[in-house]
Amino acid sequence: MSAAPNPLPRIALKELRESLRDRRTTITLVLMPLLVYPLLGALFRNVLIATNPAEAGPVSVVFESEADAEVFQQVFQEGTALLERAGVLDRRQGLLELNLTMPRRPDDALEAVVARGEAELGLRVAEPAEADDPDGEPAPRYTILTRSGSPLSVETGRRIVARLRAVNEAAIEARLREAGLSAEVPADFATEAVEPTGGGAISLATVVPLILLLMTATGAVYPAIDTTAGERERGTLETLVAAPVSRLHVLLGKFVAVWAVAVLTAGANLIAMTATVYAVGLDRELFGENVPWWSLPATAGLLALTAGFFAAVLLAVTSAARSFKEAQAYLIPLMLCCLAPGGLALTPSIELDLAWAAAPLMNLVLLAREVLSGTAPPLPALVAVVSTVCYAGLALSVAARIFGTDAILYGGPGGWGEFLKPPSRPDGVPPLGAVLLGTLACVAAFLVLGGVPGKLAGLTDEESLAAVDLPTLLIANAAVSLLVFVGLPWAIARWAGGSTRRTFALRTPSVVGLLGGLLLGLGAWAGVFEILLALGAADRIGDAGRLAEFGERIETLPLPLVLACLAIVPAVTEEFAFRGFVLTRLKVLFGAVWAVIASGLIFGVFHVVKDLGLFDRLIGTTLLGLLLGWVRVRTGSLWPGMLLHAVSNAALLSIASYKQELSERFDVEVSETAHLPAEVLAAAAVSVLLGAGCVWFAGRKT
């Protein structure tokens, strides 16, 4: 018997055909880009002209007489030639052109003509004064009148002054040479333009990504409303849900259709923007001289990702609406909220790093800005893409919980209550999708909230930590970890129908299992340290960034505070999230071995991301994660692994705090560049063997 055909393509094609048949979709898809981008191009062009006289064409300058204009014209041309020979001006980039005019009325003062805007500048030529040098010719005095508040007028005046100054300096140098004197000056100088790395003004190039992304989102708005609330209002959604097709297939078909319309809108916007930019001559100003070949296809791919993100989010919102107007009421504040992070991303001082790469929408705008400039950093770009995919998946899971429910279809009570009500799960463990998306949400939340403790403690971009309130930093970090890695997984597990005791393996452990965790913790740290030392990573970790100074500072703090914030809290939070929330579902689906391996790798990668790309931590933390996973699976409880983790952290911190005492009293030297003493390694090996034996004998079938 042949398998039933997949209904998803047919549903998606039906929804797409109905969306494209609608005139309002066609207007959004085609006419909006054709109208918006030429207007924006003209606006940007006017802004550029207002600040760049070379792009403005001939700039009008008014004189009192034709004779004054002729005198100035000669000096202006001479100054232009001098600046060209000096390499200051480049004809290929355009030269300043002036339109020399006279007042329309003979009795008009130059100030009045400029003030009325009939000319950008006025130029008064005073009568030549007697020359100081009997052999020299009398020189006229020029007074340049610019209009305040006009960038074009002020910038043109500045360029005229540069030419007059060049003529004066050339004349002075010639006279000095004739007199046999040196033309050297006591304070020679030169200026060079340096491209900013942050903190500069907002440029046109920073606005383009936000416009593209918001226009892409606009293309998904109407199809999302029409395929959910619109069908409900027309009375066709009940028939569709009653069809012999799962609600998930129906929702995914609608998602594909909304995404396809948004992608078509993105393509139309990208084509219209590119054509407009080149048509009005803004390509060099927006994208620079050397645009990488991959920028345009990368931008297209990024817009497709944006379309998927907004399609999922919009469907999650509109699925809860019972009418077209209600859906519009939901989406208007949502789109306004999107402007806040998008506008914040325009700030040049905010750059795409690992923290911002996890911020929804901001990461897309920042990544689009970096792609268009050809400077996208690989690791933050990857985090931005992966996190956006996860947010879209989370939004789709929310939509799947709401779409087609009785409360939405028939207007019954408790639409949101039904959504928030946990489903019944026989195994008491959240589904894989909730676990994966929840894990990524935890990492993203940690990256976003991880900067808050530093702000509270006075941490700045300066290298020194001397002014930082370290106790506040430690306590705030611990609070963020508890919120993100305990509170968030617990909330997601409960929302997805998981049992807290079953999901997080909170069963009471045996005494032998706890003893095994304690002994393993007392010895495992030494093995991880030796492996890192053999790979040459221990000293690099110790010297990375501010870690070295941080290690010195914590030695001055009370040891109980350090152990509570850096040993106990990380052990509790990370075990709760990785060996509880993650490992339990992986074990149900793939078995104990693959669950331990996968959770260990996730644990290692998390520490690399958390430490901003410090890949030297990957091996050590992954090995520790494998050991912790084995203890969790073998004992069937989270508590022995949590004890192991806390004791291992506490051992490392205690040794770091009492390094000098160990050297003076016991002649034990501990350093990031030297192997541990043989007696320490022997004691650690015995402790690990005894602990492993206890865990093995404490094992029971779970």
Side-chain angles (χ1 to χ4, degrees):
M1 180 181 295
S2 60
N6 187 359
L8 179 58
R10 296 183 63 184
I11 297 174
L13 187 60
K14 163 193 168 293
E15 297 290 346
L16 180 59
R17 187 165 50 239
E18 291 180 356
S19 295
L20 294 178
R21 192 179 295 146
D22 192 281
R23 290 183 179 181
R24 286 169 289 190
T25 303
T26 305
I27 291 173
T28 303
L29 181 63
V30 178
L31 297 184
M32 284 291 288
L34 293 179
L35 177 64
V36 169
Y37 284 101
L39 292 177
L40 288 175
L43 175 63
F44 287 171
R45 182 68 179 173
N46 290 335
V47 171
L48 180 64
I49 288 174
T51 56
N52 187 1
E55 300 285 345
V59 181
S60 61
V61 182
V62 63
F63 292 83
E64 293 178 331
S65 66
E66 295 282 355
D68 291 347
E70 292 178 2
V71 171
F72 171 76
Q73 180 75 6
Q74 294 176 358
V75 177
F76 180 81
Q77 292 176 350
E78 182 182 354
T80 300
L82 289 170
L83 292 179
E84 281 190 85
R85 286 198 295 270
V88 176
L89 299 181
D90 187 354
R91 285 187 175 273
R92 293 173 298 178
Q93 297 180 356
L95 296 179
L96 175 61
E97 297 181 19
L98 302 179
N99 179 25
L100 310 185
T101 63
M102 305 301 129
R104 296 176 182 176
R105 293 184 293 272
D107 57 342
D108 270 351
L110 297 184
E111 290 83 356
V113 175
V114 174
R116 291 196 300 265
E118 296 175 4
E120 290 295 333
L121 294 94
L123 210 149
R124 180 176 290 116
V125 183
E127 291 294 332
E130 292 294 331
D132 295 334
D133 184 0
D135 298 329
E137 297 181 0
R141 177 180 179 84
Y142 300 95
T143 302
I144 302 171
L145 305 174
T146 60
R147 186 168 61 253
S148 299
S150 171
L152 179 60
S153 178
V154 173
E155 178 62 20
T156 303
R158 188 189 67 80
R159 298 193 182 194
I160 290 175
V161 169
R163 285 160 172 79
L164 296 178
R165 184 178 289 116
V167 172
N168 291 338
E169 292 176 353
I172 293 173
E173 289 181 5
R175 293 178 183 179
L176 289 174
R177 284 195 299 270
E178 290 176 1
L181 300 176
S182 173
E184 294 183 359
V185 293
D188 195 12
F189 66 91
T191 59
E192 295 183 4
V194 178
E195 293 296 328
T197 58
I202 296 176
S203 65
L204 297 181
T206 60
V207 182
V208 170
L210 179 60
I211 295 174
L212 274 175
L213 297 184
L214 290 181
M215 290 297 289
T216 301
T218 303
V221 169
Y222 178 77
I225 298 177
D226 188 62
T227 56
T228 52
E231 286 214 40
R232 164 70 183 90
E233 198 168 41
R234 293 190 296 269
T236 57
L237 187 59
E238 294 90 337
T239 305
L240 188 60
V241 172
V245 181
S246 68
R247 285 193 310 179
L248 181 60
H249 277 101
V250 175
L251 176 65
L252 290 178
K254 292 179 178 294
F255 167 75
V256 172
V258 175
W259 174 80
V261 174
V263 167
L264 291 174
T265 306
N269 278 271
L270 187 59
I271 293 172
M273 184 206 72
T274 305
T276 302
V277 162
Y278 280 94
V280 301
L282 289 172
D283 51 306
R284 188 177 64 228
E285 284 75 16
L286 288 177
F287 308 123
E289 295 287 346
N290 300 313
V291 181
W293 64 268
W294 50 265
S295 289
L296 196 59
T299 302
L302 190 58
L303 291 179
L305 177 64
T306 305
F309 171 74
F310 275 106
V313 172
L314 294 176
L315 282 176
V317 175
T318 57
S319 293
R322 298 179 178 88
S323 66
F324 205 99
K325 288 185 177 180
E326 184 179 350
Q328 287 179 320
Y330 288 161
L331 291 186
I332 289 174
L334 175 65
M335 299 305 291
L336 291 176
C337 290
C338 290
L339 292 176
L344 185 61
L346 297 180
T347 308
S349 59
I350 298 179
E351 298 180 350
L352 183 65
D353 54 21
L354 288 176
W356 289 119
L361 187 59
M362 275 198 67
N363 55 3
L364 294 174
V365 180
L366 292 172
L367 182 55
R369 190 176 73 185
E370 299 294 337
V371 166
L372 287 174
S373 62
T375 59
L379 185 58
L382 178 62
V383 173
V385 171
V386 172
S387 62
T388 301
V389 171
C390 296
Y391 295 142
L394 185 61
L396 272 180
S397 67
V398 172
R401 292 283 299 275
I402 302 174
F403 178 75
T405 57
D406 291 342
I408 299 300
L409 287 176
Y410 307 113
W416 285 103
E418 184 175 347
F419 162 68
L420 296 174
K421 181 181 178 181
S424 177
R425 297 197 62 84
D427 59 2
V429 180
L432 181 62
V435 170
L436 294 180
L437 293 174
T439 303
L440 291 166
C442 290
V443 175
F446 183 79
L447 292 175
V448 173
L449 298 177
V452 175
K455 297 295 184 182
L456 295 176
L459 185 64
T460 64
D461 293 333
E462 298 178 1
E463 290 297 328
S464 177
L465 298 176
V468 176
D469 185 356
L470 211 53
T472 300
L473 180 63
L474 294 180
I475 295 172
N477 267 325
V480 168
S481 297
L482 288 169
L483 174 66
V484 171
F485 292 111
V486 175
L488 192 55
W490 176 83
I492 293 173
R494 293 293 300 155
W495 175 75
S499 163
T500 301
R501 181 179 175 84
R502 175 83 171 87
T503 301
F504 299 102
L506 298 180
R507 65 181 63 185
T508 304
S510 65
V511 176
V512 178
L514 287 174
L515 179 61
L518 175 63
L519 293 172
L520 283 173
L522 290 172
W525 67 269
V528 173
F529 178 85
E530 287 297 314
I531 293 174
L532 291 176
L533 190 63
L535 296 174
D539 57 335
R540 290 196 297 271
I541 293 175
D543 294 333
R546 297 173 172 175
L547 291 180
E549 184 180 358
F550 181 76
E552 295 175 358
R553 285 287 310 276
I554 63 172
E555 294 178 7
T556 63
L557 298 178
L559 186 60
L561 174 65
V562 174
L563 293 180
C565 295
L566 296 181
I568 298 174
V569 170
V572 171
T573 57
E574 291 175 3
E575 293 309 303
F576 201 82
F578 293 100
R579 256 65 62 182
F581 187 61
V582 174
L583 190 144
T584 301
R585 169 46 68 184
L586 295 179
K587 179 174 176 289
V588 171
L589 290 178
F590 307 111
V593 175
W594 288 111
V596 169
I597 293 174
S599 63
L601 287 173
I602 294 172
F603 183 65
V605 171
F606 161 71
H607 280 82
V608 172
V609 174
K610 183 186 74 169
D611 294 327
L612 304 181
L614 192 59
F615 285 94
D616 289 329
R617 295 209 62 179
L618 178 62
I619 297 176
T621 51
T622 300
L623 291 174
L624 181 60
L626 295 175
L627 176 61
L628 291 166
W630 174 74
V631 172
R632 151 71 180 86
V633 170
R634 188 65 189 172
T635 62
S637 173
L638 194 67
W639 303 110
M642 196 177 290
L643 180 61
L644 186 164
H645 199 158
V647 170
S648 178
N649 290 344
L652 287 169
L653 292 169
S654 300
I655 290 173
S657 298
Y658 294 102
K659 190 183 302 182
Q660 185 174 355
E661 287 80 357
L662 289 173
S663 176
E664 294 175 353
R665 297 185 180 183
F666 304 101
D667 196 25
V668 175
E669 297 290 340
V670 179
S671 170
E672 291 87 357
T673 59
H675 290 281
L676 294 171
E679 55 271 24
V680 174
L681 291 176
V686 171
S687 181
V688 168
L689 290 175
L690 292 175
C694 291
V695 170
W696 180 265
F697 285 110
R700 56 186 176 183
K701 189 174 182 180
T702 58

mmCIF file of all heavy atoms in Angstrom, residues 190-201 348:
data_model
loop_
_atom_site.group_PDB
_atom_site.id
_atom_site.type_symbol
_atom_site.label_atom_id
_atom_site.label_comp_id
_atom_site.label_asym_id
_atom_site.label_seq_id
_atom_site.Cartn_x
_atom_site.Cartn_y
_atom_site.Cartn_z
ATOM 1 N N ALA A 190 48.811 68.218 8.684
ATOM 2 C CA ALA A 190 47.974 67.615 7.644
ATOM 3 C C ALA A 190 46.821 66.903 8.321
ATOM 4 O O ALA A 190 46.925 66.481 9.478
ATOM 5 C CB ALA A 190 48.781 66.645 6.786
ATOM 6 N N THR A 191 45.728 66.769 7.637
ATOM 7 C CA THR A 191 44.562 66.065 8.172
ATOM 8 C C THR A 191 44.244 64.871 7.294
ATOM 9 O O THR A 191 44.399 64.922 6.073
ATOM 10 C CB THR A 191 43.339 66.994 8.233
ATOM 11 O OG1 THR A 191 43.051 67.476 6.921
ATOM 12 C CG2 THR A 191 43.592 68.171 9.162
ATOM 13 N N GLU A 192 43.813 63.782 7.937
ATOM 14 C CA GLU A 192 43.410 62.582 7.218
ATOM 15 C C GLU A 192 42.080 62.101 7.768
ATOM 16 O O GLU A 192 41.846 62.141 8.975
ATOM 17 C CB GLU A 192 44.455 61.465 7.374
ATOM 18 C CG GLU A 192 45.790 61.785 6.736
ATOM 19 C CD GLU A 192 46.772 60.623 6.859
ATOM 20 O OE1 GLU A 192 46.349 59.562 7.371
ATOM 21 O OE2 GLU A 192 47.941 60.778 6.462
ATOM 22 N N ALA A 193 41.215 61.650 6.885
ATOM 23 C CA ALA A 193 39.905 61.134 7.285
ATOM 24 C C ALA A 193 40.035 59.667 7.681
ATOM 25 O O ALA A 193 40.650 58.872 6.975
ATOM 26 C CB ALA A 193 38.896 61.283 6.149
ATOM 27 N N VAL A 194 39.483 59.309 8.827
ATOM 28 C CA VAL A 194 39.518 57.937 9.334
ATOM 29 C C VAL A 194 38.085 57.433 9.409
ATOM 30 O O VAL A 194 37.199 58.111 9.947
ATOM 31 C CB VAL A 194 40.180 57.866 10.730
ATOM 32 C CG1 VAL A 194 40.163 56.441 11.257
ATOM 33 C CG2 VAL A 194 41.603 58.399 10.651
ATOM 34 N N GLU A 195 37.845 56.236 8.863
ATOM 35 C CA GLU A 195 36.508 55.653 8.908
ATOM 36 C C GLU A 195 36.147 55.285 10.338
ATOM 37 O O GLU A 195 36.934 54.649 11.042
ATOM 38 C CB GLU A 195 36.433 54.399 8.026
ATOM 39 C CG GLU A 195 36.578 54.695 6.543
ATOM 40 C CD GLU A 195 35.447 55.543 6.015
ATOM 41 O OE1 GLU A 195 34.322 55.410 6.545
ATOM 42 O OE2 GLU A 195 35.670 56.352 5.102
ATOM 43 N N PRO A 196 34.970 55.674 10.818
ATOM 44 C CA PRO A 196 34.593 55.378 12.210
ATOM 45 C C PRO A 196 34.263 53.904 12.392
ATOM 46 O O PRO A 196 33.765 53.243 11.484
ATOM 47 C CB PRO A 196 33.350 56.247 12.429
ATOM 48 C CG PRO A 196 32.755 56.386 11.060
ATOM 49 C CD PRO A 196 33.918 56.407 10.102
ATOM 50 N N THR A 197 34.579 53.385 13.594
ATOM 51 C CA THR A 197 34.186 52.025 13.961
ATOM 52 C C THR A 197 32.965 52.026 14.858
ATOM 53 O O THR A 197 32.493 50.991 15.277
ATOM 54 C CB THR A 197 35.335 51.318 14.704
ATOM 55 O OG1 THR A 197 35.682 52.083 15.860
ATOM 56 C CG2 THR A 197 36.548 51.199 13.804
ATOM 57 N N GLY A 198 32.453 53.158 15.172
ATOM 58 C CA GLY A 198 31.275 53.267 16.037
ATOM 59 C C GLY A 198 31.201 54.643 16.632
ATOM 60 O O GLY A 198 32.186 55.345 16.776
ATOM 61 N N GLY A 199 29.996 55.039 16.986
ATOM 62 C CA GLY A 199 29.797 56.323 17.635
ATOM 63 C C GLY A 199 29.598 57.469 16.677
ATOM 64 O O GLY A 199 29.429 58.599 17.103
ATOM 65 N N GLY A 200 29.655 57.255 15.365
ATOM 66 C CA GLY A 200 29.464 58.321 14.416
ATOM 67 C C GLY A 200 27.996 58.625 14.222
ATOM 68 O O GLY A 200 27.108 58.054 14.829
ATOM 69 N N ALA A 201 27.761 59.574 13.325
ATOM 70 C CA ALA A 201 26.384 59.946 13.052
ATOM 71 C C ALA A 201 25.698 58.881 12.217
ATOM 72 O O ALA A 201 26.334 58.085 11.541
ATOM 73 C CB ALA A 201 26.355 61.296 12.337
ATOM 74 N N PRO A 348 25.161 53.908 15.350
ATOM 75 C CA PRO A 348 26.431 53.352 14.865
ATOM 76 C C PRO A 348 27.294 52.736 15.961
ATOM 77 O O PRO A 348 28.112 51.866 15.686
ATOM 78 C CB PRO A 348 27.128 54.575 14.228
ATOM 79 C CG PRO A 348 26.025 55.520 13.915
ATOM 80 C CD PRO A 348 25.007 55.327 14.993
#
